[in-house]
Amino acid sequence: VFVSDSGTIKEKYVLELSQAGIAFEAGQHTEALILNAGEIIVSPGIPDKAAIIKAALAAGIPLISEIEFAARYTRATKICITGSNGKTTTTLLTYHMFQKAGLKVGLAGNVGLSLARQVAQNDFDYYVIELSSFQLDKMYQFKAEIAILMNITPDHLDRYQYDFQLYINSKLRVIQNQTSADYFIFCADDPIIQQEIAKRTISSQLLPFTLSASTNPGGWVSNEKINIYTHNSAFDMNIYDLALQGQHNVYNSMAASLSGSVVNIRKSIIRESLADFQGVEHRLEYYLKIHGIQFINDSKATNVNSTWYALESMNAPTIWIAGGIDKGNDYSSLYELVGKKVKALICLGVDNSKLHEAFQDKIDIILDAGSMPDAIKMAYHLGEKGDNVLLSPACASFDLFENYEHRGRMFKQSVREL
């Protein structure tokens, strides 16, 4: 094994690599060493246009994701969750449910520890895995016994040659290699998913979930209850008893319930899990109320559709903090909600021109902030008792912050310092 990182490697990992006798380099990619490999596991953040990746492809070296590699060494049942939005909440809710049921379960992918580390060090019967499109792109033989697809909306188009269909194809890789013994849980209200299912021959057992007409098997909402029907279980639960409120969380709760039902988790455990789940940091996190102004951290909203869900759930006049690295965003889907709910927009990014252009005719007050503390002070001065201040950026964070977690922590720290 040889590890190559063009950036710096944290001290704790240097120590771990050294103790394990693994050769590594930092601050560069030595082509001669890398192109000597029989197989390369690529970090999902590295695009195919990177010089070293192009060189490896030209040399005909197989490039795979860490998930593909790790899965070769486990017989555990893999519950794999993807989608443009809602995947982290659904992943953590599903993991919570499996833990509560007393199952031997690991949490991997975009959350938790890497799948490879857990396969190497633990003996789990189940893995709940959050998968990004970047991870799916480098997965070939991998199979999800239970695949969950939450939704598909334009995201990361900068990585997909600004071709939405390429991104869609990437998301649908979650069901590749599935057989009639496997399950595909998906949102039947998503037009893109419905369109793609109609075009494909799918071998797995379909479990749709929807807010409208009943579907058996599957999940749906009627009379303010979620209803879950699978081959081996049927139950319902009042949507007001769900720990997570809002339309998007009804979808998340149905998806998690269906996966729990498929592996025969008791109805009482599924209900308890849906009722006592604590939610996800940086996802519509109602943080502090100061002088009657509610500050809400939704830093995890790195695309327009996530921000749509956040704005849709606002029930008070809202001061919206947005901006960052635009990934080819089309803001038009937000216009109606913004017109109804947003009293001011604070742009927090190095280049805010696209936000100004999109909303100059829609919002009376648009301000620019150069830092999170400035944005919070502006929002606080604009706010009145009963208002919301919502950080829901609709953009990636890498212009001013290390990642969305750093952005969310800075939001909370700046609110505390008011």
Side-chain angles (χ1 to χ4, degrees), residues 290-347:
I290 299 174
H291 294 136
I293 303 168
Q294 176 71 61
F295 288 83
I296 303 162
N297 170 23
D298 193 41
S299 180
K300 201 170 187 312
T302 57
N303 60 49
V304 170
N305 199 246
S306 282
T307 295
W308 187 93
Y309 282 120
L311 288 170
E312 189 260 340
S313 71
M314 292 298 104
N315 50 13
T318 299
I319 296 153
W320 174 33
I321 302 173
I325 294 179
D326 186 296
K327 299 182 281 189
N329 287 353
D330 174 2
Y331 294 106
S332 58
S333 63
L334 301 181
Y335 290 166
E336 190 182 337
L337 281 172
V338 162
K340 283 183 196 163
K341 305 199 177 201
V342 174
K343 63 187 271 187
L345 168 61
I346 297 169
C347 304

Short mmCIF file of all heavy atoms in Angstrom, two decimals, residues 290-347:
data_model
loop_
_atom_site.label_atom_id
_atom_site.label_comp_id
_atom_site.label_asym_id
_atom_site.label_seq_id
_atom_site.Cartn_x
_atom_site.Cartn_y
_atom_site.Cartn_z
N ILE A 290 -32.45 34.79 20.37
CA ILE A 290 -31.91 35.96 21.06
C ILE A 290 -32.86 37.13 20.85
O ILE A 290 -33.13 37.52 19.70
CB ILE A 290 -30.49 36.30 20.56
CG1 ILE A 290 -29.55 35.11 20.83
CG2 ILE A 290 -29.96 37.55 21.23
CD1 ILE A 290 -28.17 35.24 20.27
N HIS A 291 -33.38 37.68 21.96
CA HIS A 291 -34.36 38.77 21.91
C HIS A 291 -35.50 38.45 20.93
O HIS A 291 -35.90 39.29 20.13
CB HIS A 291 -33.70 40.11 21.54
CG HIS A 291 -32.76 40.58 22.62
ND1 HIS A 291 -31.53 41.09 22.36
CD2 HIS A 291 -32.87 40.55 23.97
CE1 HIS A 291 -30.91 41.38 23.50
NE2 HIS A 291 -31.72 41.07 24.50
N GLY A 292 -35.95 37.19 20.98
CA GLY A 292 -37.10 36.79 20.16
C GLY A 292 -36.75 36.46 18.72
O GLY A 292 -37.64 36.13 17.93
N ILE A 293 -35.45 36.57 18.34
CA ILE A 293 -35.03 36.24 16.96
C ILE A 293 -34.45 34.83 16.97
O ILE A 293 -33.50 34.54 17.71
CB ILE A 293 -33.99 37.25 16.44
CG1 ILE A 293 -34.54 38.69 16.48
CG2 ILE A 293 -33.55 36.88 15.02
CD1 ILE A 293 -33.49 39.76 16.25
N GLN A 294 -35.03 33.94 16.15
CA GLN A 294 -34.59 32.53 16.11
C GLN A 294 -33.47 32.36 15.07
O GLN A 294 -33.66 32.69 13.90
CB GLN A 294 -35.76 31.64 15.73
CG GLN A 294 -35.42 30.17 15.56
CD GLN A 294 -35.08 29.46 16.87
OE1 GLN A 294 -35.91 29.38 17.76
NE2 GLN A 294 -33.85 28.97 16.98
N PHE A 295 -32.32 31.85 15.50
CA PHE A 295 -31.19 31.60 14.59
C PHE A 295 -31.18 30.11 14.21
O PHE A 295 -31.15 29.24 15.09
CB PHE A 295 -29.87 32.01 15.25
CG PHE A 295 -29.71 33.50 15.35
CD1 PHE A 295 -30.29 34.21 16.40
CD2 PHE A 295 -29.01 34.21 14.38
CE1 PHE A 295 -30.16 35.59 16.49
CE2 PHE A 295 -28.89 35.59 14.46
CZ PHE A 295 -29.45 36.29 15.52
N ILE A 296 -31.18 29.84 12.91
CA ILE A 296 -31.31 28.46 12.40
C ILE A 296 -30.10 28.14 11.51
O ILE A 296 -29.82 28.84 10.53
CB ILE A 296 -32.62 28.28 11.60
CG1 ILE A 296 -33.82 28.66 12.46
CG2 ILE A 296 -32.75 26.86 11.06
CD1 ILE A 296 -35.09 28.93 11.68
N ASN A 297 -29.39 27.07 11.87
CA ASN A 297 -28.18 26.65 11.16
C ASN A 297 -28.53 25.55 10.15
O ASN A 297 -28.78 24.41 10.53
CB ASN A 297 -27.15 26.15 12.18
CG ASN A 297 -25.97 25.46 11.53
OD1 ASN A 297 -25.66 25.70 10.36
ND2 ASN A 297 -25.29 24.61 12.29
N ASP A 298 -28.53 25.90 8.87
CA ASP A 298 -28.77 24.92 7.81
C ASP A 298 -27.57 24.93 6.86
O ASP A 298 -27.72 24.90 5.64
CB ASP A 298 -30.08 25.26 7.07
CG ASP A 298 -30.57 24.12 6.18
OD1 ASP A 298 -30.48 22.95 6.60
OD2 ASP A 298 -31.03 24.41 5.06
N SER A 299 -26.38 24.94 7.45
CA SER A 299 -25.15 25.04 6.66
C SER A 299 -25.00 23.88 5.68
O SER A 299 -24.32 23.99 4.67
CB SER A 299 -23.92 25.10 7.58
OG SER A 299 -22.75 25.20 6.83
N LYS A 300 -25.63 22.76 6.01
CA LYS A 300 -25.51 21.57 5.15
C LYS A 300 -26.23 21.75 3.82
O LYS A 300 -26.04 20.96 2.88
CB LYS A 300 -26.07 20.34 5.90
CG LYS A 300 -25.55 19.04 5.34
CD LYS A 300 -25.91 17.88 6.21
CE LYS A 300 -25.24 16.62 5.71
NZ LYS A 300 -25.38 16.37 4.29
N ALA A 301 -27.05 22.81 3.69
CA ALA A 301 -27.75 23.07 2.43
C ALA A 301 -26.76 23.63 1.42
O ALA A 301 -26.56 24.84 1.32
CB ALA A 301 -28.90 24.06 2.66
N THR A 302 -26.12 22.72 0.67
CA THR A 302 -25.10 23.17 -0.27
C THR A 302 -25.64 23.23 -1.70
O THR A 302 -24.88 23.42 -2.65
CB THR A 302 -23.87 22.23 -0.23
OG1 THR A 302 -24.31 20.90 -0.52
CG2 THR A 302 -23.20 22.26 1.12
N ASN A 303 -26.94 23.05 -1.87
CA ASN A 303 -27.54 23.19 -3.20
C ASN A 303 -28.91 23.86 -3.09
O ASN A 303 -29.45 24.02 -2.00
CB ASN A 303 -27.62 21.84 -3.92
CG ASN A 303 -28.47 20.82 -3.16
OD1 ASN A 303 -29.59 21.12 -2.74
ND2 ASN A 303 -27.95 19.63 -2.97
N VAL A 304 -29.43 24.27 -4.23
CA VAL A 304 -30.68 25.06 -4.28
C VAL A 304 -31.85 24.27 -3.70
O VAL A 304 -32.68 24.81 -2.97
CB VAL A 304 -30.96 25.52 -5.73
CG1 VAL A 304 -32.36 26.13 -5.84
CG2 VAL A 304 -29.91 26.53 -6.18
N ASN A 305 -31.91 22.97 -4.01
CA ASN A 305 -33.06 22.19 -3.57
C ASN A 305 -33.11 22.06 -2.05
O ASN A 305 -34.18 22.13 -1.44
CB ASN A 305 -33.03 20.81 -4.23
CG ASN A 305 -34.38 20.12 -4.19
OD1 ASN A 305 -34.54 19.11 -3.53
ND2 ASN A 305 -35.38 20.68 -4.86
N SER A 306 -31.96 21.89 -1.42
CA SER A 306 -31.90 21.86 0.06
C SER A 306 -32.42 23.16 0.64
O SER A 306 -33.16 23.17 1.62
CB SER A 306 -30.46 21.66 0.53
OG SER A 306 -30.07 20.33 0.40
N THR A 307 -32.02 24.27 0.04
CA THR A 307 -32.47 25.58 0.52
C THR A 307 -33.97 25.75 0.29
O THR A 307 -34.66 26.34 1.12
CB THR A 307 -31.65 26.69 -0.16
OG1 THR A 307 -30.28 26.57 0.27
CG2 THR A 307 -32.16 28.07 0.19
N TRP A 308 -34.48 25.18 -0.81
CA TRP A 308 -35.93 25.23 -1.05
C TRP A 308 -36.67 24.59 0.13
O TRP A 308 -37.64 25.15 0.66
CB TRP A 308 -36.27 24.49 -2.35
CG TRP A 308 -37.72 24.63 -2.75
CD1 TRP A 308 -38.26 25.56 -3.58
CD2 TRP A 308 -38.84 23.82 -2.29
NE1 TRP A 308 -39.63 25.39 -3.68
CE2 TRP A 308 -40.01 24.33 -2.90
CE3 TRP A 308 -38.95 22.73 -1.44
CZ2 TRP A 308 -41.27 23.78 -2.69
CZ3 TRP A 308 -40.21 22.18 -1.21
CH2 TRP A 308 -41.36 22.71 -1.84
N TYR A 309 -36.21 23.40 0.57
CA TYR A 309 -36.85 22.72 1.71
C TYR A 309 -36.78 23.58 2.97
O TYR A 309 -37.72 23.63 3.76
CB TYR A 309 -36.20 21.36 1.96
CG TYR A 309 -36.63 20.29 1.00
CD1 TYR A 309 -35.71 19.64 0.20
CD2 TYR A 309 -37.97 19.90 0.91
CE1 TYR A 309 -36.10 18.63 -0.69
CE2 TYR A 309 -38.37 18.90 0.03
CZ TYR A 309 -37.44 18.28 -0.76
OH TYR A 309 -37.84 17.29 -1.63
N ALA A 310 -35.62 24.22 3.18
CA ALA A 310 -35.46 25.04 4.38
C ALA A 310 -36.43 26.22 4.35
O ALA A 310 -37.13 26.49 5.33
CB ALA A 310 -34.01 25.54 4.47
N LEU A 311 -36.48 26.92 3.22
CA LEU A 311 -37.38 28.08 3.12
C LEU A 311 -38.84 27.65 3.22
O LEU A 311 -39.66 28.33 3.83
CB LEU A 311 -37.13 28.83 1.80
CG LEU A 311 -35.81 29.61 1.72
CD1 LEU A 311 -35.55 30.10 0.30
CD2 LEU A 311 -35.79 30.79 2.69
N GLU A 312 -39.15 26.50 2.63
CA GLU A 312 -40.53 25.98 2.67
C GLU A 312 -40.99 25.76 4.11
O GLU A 312 -42.16 25.91 4.43
CB GLU A 312 -40.58 24.67 1.86
CG GLU A 312 -41.97 24.12 1.60
CD GLU A 312 -42.35 22.99 2.55
OE1 GLU A 312 -41.45 22.37 3.16
OE2 GLU A 312 -43.55 22.75 2.72
N SER A 313 -40.04 25.41 4.98
CA SER A 313 -40.43 25.10 6.37
C SER A 313 -40.45 26.34 7.28
O SER A 313 -40.80 26.25 8.44
CB SER A 313 -39.48 24.04 6.95
OG SER A 313 -38.20 24.59 7.17
N MET A 314 -40.05 27.51 6.75
CA MET A 314 -40.06 28.73 7.57
C MET A 314 -41.49 29.23 7.76
O MET A 314 -42.27 29.30 6.81
CB MET A 314 -39.24 29.85 6.89
CG MET A 314 -37.74 29.60 6.81
SD MET A 314 -36.91 29.45 8.42
CE MET A 314 -36.66 27.69 8.51
N ASN A 315 -41.84 29.56 9.03
CA ASN A 315 -43.20 30.03 9.31
C ASN A 315 -43.18 31.41 9.96
O ASN A 315 -44.09 31.76 10.70
CB ASN A 315 -43.93 29.01 10.20
CG ASN A 315 -43.10 28.63 11.41
OD1 ASN A 315 -42.11 29.30 11.69
ND2 ASN A 315 -43.47 27.58 12.10
N ALA A 316 -42.12 32.18 9.70
CA ALA A 316 -42.02 33.56 10.21
C ALA A 316 -41.18 34.35 9.21
O ALA A 316 -40.44 33.75 8.41
CB ALA A 316 -41.35 33.55 11.58
N PRO A 317 -41.26 35.70 9.24
CA PRO A 317 -40.40 36.50 8.35
C PRO A 317 -38.94 36.09 8.53
O PRO A 317 -38.48 35.92 9.66
CB PRO A 317 -40.64 37.94 8.82
CG PRO A 317 -41.98 37.90 9.49
CD PRO A 317 -42.10 36.55 10.10
N THR A 318 -38.24 35.92 7.41
CA THR A 318 -36.91 35.30 7.47
C THR A 318 -35.84 36.19 6.86
O THR A 318 -36.01 36.74 5.77
CB THR A 318 -36.94 33.94 6.73
OG1 THR A 318 -37.89 33.09 7.40
CG2 THR A 318 -35.58 33.26 6.71
N ILE A 319 -34.74 36.32 7.60
CA ILE A 319 -33.52 36.95 7.07
C ILE A 319 -32.63 35.79 6.64
O ILE A 319 -32.25 34.95 7.46
CB ILE A 319 -32.84 37.83 8.14
CG1 ILE A 319 -33.77 38.99 8.52
CG2 ILE A 319 -31.50 38.35 7.64
CD1 ILE A 319 -33.57 39.52 9.90
N TRP A 320 -32.35 35.74 5.36
CA TRP A 320 -31.69 34.57 4.77
C TRP A 320 -30.22 34.88 4.49
O TRP A 320 -29.91 35.88 3.84
CB TRP A 320 -32.44 34.22 3.48
CG TRP A 320 -31.84 33.14 2.63
CD1 TRP A 320 -31.15 32.04 3.02
CD2 TRP A 320 -31.92 33.06 1.19
NE1 TRP A 320 -30.80 31.27 1.94
CE2 TRP A 320 -31.26 31.88 0.80
CE3 TRP A 320 -32.52 33.87 0.20
CZ2 TRP A 320 -31.15 31.51 -0.54
CZ3 TRP A 320 -32.40 33.49 -1.12
CH2 TRP A 320 -31.73 32.32 -1.48
N ILE A 321 -29.33 34.04 5.01
CA ILE A 321 -27.89 34.17 4.73
C ILE A 321 -27.52 33.08 3.72
O ILE A 321 -27.73 31.89 3.97
CB ILE A 321 -27.04 34.00 6.01
CG1 ILE A 321 -27.46 35.04 7.07
CG2 ILE A 321 -25.55 34.13 5.70
CD1 ILE A 321 -26.80 34.84 8.44
N ALA A 322 -27.00 33.49 2.56
CA ALA A 322 -26.70 32.52 1.49
C ALA A 322 -25.39 32.89 0.82
O ALA A 322 -24.83 33.97 1.03
CB ALA A 322 -27.83 32.52 0.46
N GLY A 323 -24.88 31.98 -0.01
CA GLY A 323 -23.69 32.27 -0.81
C GLY A 323 -22.54 31.32 -0.53
O GLY A 323 -22.57 30.51 0.39
N GLY A 324 -21.53 31.41 -1.37
CA GLY A 324 -20.37 30.52 -1.31
C GLY A 324 -19.94 30.24 -2.73
O GLY A 324 -20.06 31.09 -3.60
N ILE A 325 -19.48 29.02 -2.98
CA ILE A 325 -19.07 28.66 -4.35
C ILE A 325 -20.29 28.12 -5.09
O ILE A 325 -20.85 27.09 -4.72
CB ILE A 325 -17.92 27.64 -4.34
CG1 ILE A 325 -16.67 28.29 -3.73
CG2 ILE A 325 -17.63 27.14 -5.75
CD1 ILE A 325 -15.49 27.39 -3.63
N ASP A 326 -20.68 28.84 -6.11
CA ASP A 326 -21.84 28.47 -6.93
C ASP A 326 -21.47 27.30 -7.83
O ASP A 326 -20.46 27.34 -8.52
CB ASP A 326 -22.24 29.71 -7.76
CG ASP A 326 -23.51 29.50 -8.54
OD1 ASP A 326 -23.50 28.63 -9.42
OD2 ASP A 326 -24.50 30.20 -8.27
N LYS A 327 -22.30 26.24 -7.82
CA LYS A 327 -21.99 25.03 -8.59
C LYS A 327 -22.82 24.98 -9.88
O LYS A 327 -23.19 23.91 -10.34
CB LYS A 327 -22.28 23.79 -7.73
CG LYS A 327 -21.44 23.73 -6.48
CD LYS A 327 -21.71 22.47 -5.67
CE LYS A 327 -22.96 22.57 -4.85
NZ LYS A 327 -23.12 21.43 -3.91
N GLY A 328 -23.09 26.16 -10.45
CA GLY A 328 -23.95 26.19 -11.63
C GLY A 328 -25.40 26.30 -11.24
O GLY A 328 -26.28 25.71 -11.88
N ASN A 329 -25.69 27.04 -10.17
CA ASN A 329 -27.03 27.10 -9.59
C ASN A 329 -28.04 27.85 -10.46
O ASN A 329 -27.74 28.88 -11.05
CB ASN A 329 -26.99 27.81 -8.22
CG ASN A 329 -26.36 26.95 -7.15
OD1 ASN A 329 -26.06 25.79 -7.37
ND2 ASN A 329 -26.15 27.53 -5.98
N ASP A 330 -29.26 27.33 -10.47
CA ASP A 330 -30.41 28.03 -11.04
C ASP A 330 -31.34 28.33 -9.87
O ASP A 330 -31.92 27.42 -9.27
CB ASP A 330 -31.11 27.13 -12.07
CG ASP A 330 -32.40 27.75 -12.60
OD1 ASP A 330 -32.74 28.89 -12.20
OD2 ASP A 330 -33.08 27.09 -13.41
N TYR A 331 -31.47 29.63 -9.52
CA TYR A 331 -32.22 30.01 -8.32
C TYR A 331 -33.72 30.21 -8.58
O TYR A 331 -34.46 30.54 -7.66
CB TYR A 331 -31.64 31.31 -7.75
CG TYR A 331 -30.23 31.15 -7.21
CD1 TYR A 331 -29.14 31.65 -7.90
CD2 TYR A 331 -30.01 30.49 -6.00
CE1 TYR A 331 -27.85 31.50 -7.40
CE2 TYR A 331 -28.72 30.33 -5.50
CZ TYR A 331 -27.65 30.84 -6.21
OH TYR A 331 -26.37 30.67 -5.71
N SER A 332 -34.17 30.00 -9.81
CA SER A 332 -35.56 30.37 -10.15
C SER A 332 -36.59 29.59 -9.32
O SER A 332 -37.66 30.12 -9.03
CB SER A 332 -35.81 30.18 -11.64
OG SER A 332 -35.56 28.84 -12.02
N SER A 333 -36.26 28.36 -8.92
CA SER A 333 -37.24 27.58 -8.13
C SER A 333 -37.49 28.20 -6.76
O SER A 333 -38.46 27.86 -6.08
CB SER A 333 -36.74 26.14 -7.96
OG SER A 333 -35.52 26.11 -7.24
N LEU A 334 -36.61 29.10 -6.33
CA LEU A 334 -36.77 29.72 -5.00
C LEU A 334 -37.59 31.01 -5.04
O LEU A 334 -37.98 31.52 -3.99
CB LEU A 334 -35.39 30.06 -4.40
CG LEU A 334 -34.40 28.90 -4.20
CD1 LEU A 334 -33.11 29.42 -3.59
CD2 LEU A 334 -35.00 27.82 -3.32
N TYR A 335 -37.84 31.54 -6.24
CA TYR A 335 -38.43 32.88 -6.35
C TYR A 335 -39.74 33.02 -5.57
O TYR A 335 -39.94 33.97 -4.82
CB TYR A 335 -38.66 33.27 -7.82
CG TYR A 335 -37.40 33.54 -8.60
CD1 TYR A 335 -37.42 33.61 -9.99
CD2 TYR A 335 -36.17 33.72 -7.96
CE1 TYR A 335 -36.27 33.85 -10.73
CE2 TYR A 335 -35.01 33.98 -8.69
CZ TYR A 335 -35.07 34.03 -10.08
OH TYR A 335 -33.93 34.27 -10.80
N GLU A 336 -40.63 32.06 -5.75
CA GLU A 336 -41.95 32.17 -5.10
C GLU A 336 -41.82 32.15 -3.58
O GLU A 336 -42.41 32.99 -2.88
CB GLU A 336 -42.84 31.01 -5.57
CG GLU A 336 -44.29 31.19 -5.13
CD GLU A 336 -45.17 30.01 -5.54
OE1 GLU A 336 -44.82 29.28 -6.49
OE2 GLU A 336 -46.21 29.82 -4.89
N LEU A 337 -41.02 31.21 -3.05
CA LEU A 337 -40.84 31.12 -1.59
C LEU A 337 -40.16 32.36 -1.05
O LEU A 337 -40.54 32.88 0.01
CB LEU A 337 -39.99 29.89 -1.24
CG LEU A 337 -40.70 28.53 -1.22
CD1 LEU A 337 -39.68 27.42 -1.04
CD2 LEU A 337 -41.73 28.48 -0.10
N VAL A 338 -39.15 32.84 -1.76
CA VAL A 338 -38.42 34.04 -1.33
C VAL A 338 -39.37 35.23 -1.28
O VAL A 338 -39.36 36.01 -0.31
CB VAL A 338 -37.21 34.29 -2.27
CG1 VAL A 338 -36.70 35.71 -2.13
CG2 VAL A 338 -36.09 33.29 -1.95
N GLY A 339 -40.21 35.36 -2.29
CA GLY A 339 -41.18 36.46 -2.33
C GLY A 339 -42.12 36.44 -1.13
O GLY A 339 -42.48 37.48 -0.58
N LYS A 340 -42.49 35.23 -0.69
CA LYS A 340 -43.43 35.10 0.43
C LYS A 340 -42.75 35.23 1.79
O LYS A 340 -43.35 35.73 2.74
CB LYS A 340 -44.10 33.72 0.38
CG LYS A 340 -45.17 33.55 -0.65
CD LYS A 340 -45.78 32.14 -0.49
CE LYS A 340 -46.57 31.73 -1.71
NZ LYS A 340 -46.81 30.29 -1.75
N LYS A 341 -41.53 34.75 1.92
CA LYS A 341 -40.98 34.52 3.25
C LYS A 341 -39.75 35.34 3.62
O LYS A 341 -39.45 35.49 4.80
CB LYS A 341 -40.63 33.04 3.41
CG LYS A 341 -41.83 32.13 3.12
CD LYS A 341 -41.67 30.74 3.69
CE LYS A 341 -42.91 29.89 3.45
NZ LYS A 341 -43.04 28.76 4.32
N VAL A 342 -39.00 35.85 2.63
CA VAL A 342 -37.70 36.47 2.94
C VAL A 342 -37.81 37.99 2.95
O VAL A 342 -38.25 38.60 1.99
CB VAL A 342 -36.64 36.00 1.91
CG1 VAL A 342 -35.33 36.74 2.13
CG2 VAL A 342 -36.42 34.49 2.01
N LYS A 343 -37.41 38.59 4.08
CA LYS A 343 -37.45 40.05 4.19
C LYS A 343 -36.10 40.68 3.84
O LYS A 343 -36.02 41.86 3.50
CB LYS A 343 -37.93 40.49 5.57
CG LYS A 343 -37.05 40.10 6.73
CD LYS A 343 -37.70 40.44 8.07
CE LYS A 343 -37.39 41.83 8.55
NZ LYS A 343 -37.89 42.08 9.92
N ALA A 344 -35.01 39.89 3.95
CA ALA A 344 -33.68 40.41 3.61
C ALA A 344 -32.77 39.24 3.27
O ALA A 344 -32.92 38.15 3.81
CB ALA A 344 -33.09 41.21 4.78
N LEU A 345 -31.82 39.49 2.35
CA LEU A 345 -30.82 38.50 1.97
C LEU A 345 -29.44 39.04 2.30
O LEU A 345 -29.10 40.16 1.90
CB LEU A 345 -30.93 38.20 0.46
CG LEU A 345 -29.79 37.41 -0.18
CD1 LEU A 345 -29.64 36.02 0.45
CD2 LEU A 345 -30.00 37.28 -1.70
N ILE A 346 -28.67 38.26 3.03
CA ILE A 346 -27.28 38.61 3.31
C ILE A 346 -26.40 37.63 2.55
O ILE A 346 -26.47 36.42 2.75
CB ILE A 346 -26.98 38.57 4.83
CG1 ILE A 346 -27.84 39.61 5.55
CG2 ILE A 346 -25.50 38.80 5.10
CD1 ILE A 346 -27.83 39.51 7.05
N CYS A 347 -25.59 38.16 1.62
CA CYS A 347 -24.75 37.32 0.78
C CYS A 347 -23.39 37.13 1.44
O CYS A 347 -22.69 38.10 1.72
CB CYS A 347 -24.57 37.97 -0.59
SG CYS A 347 -26.11 38.33 -1.43
#
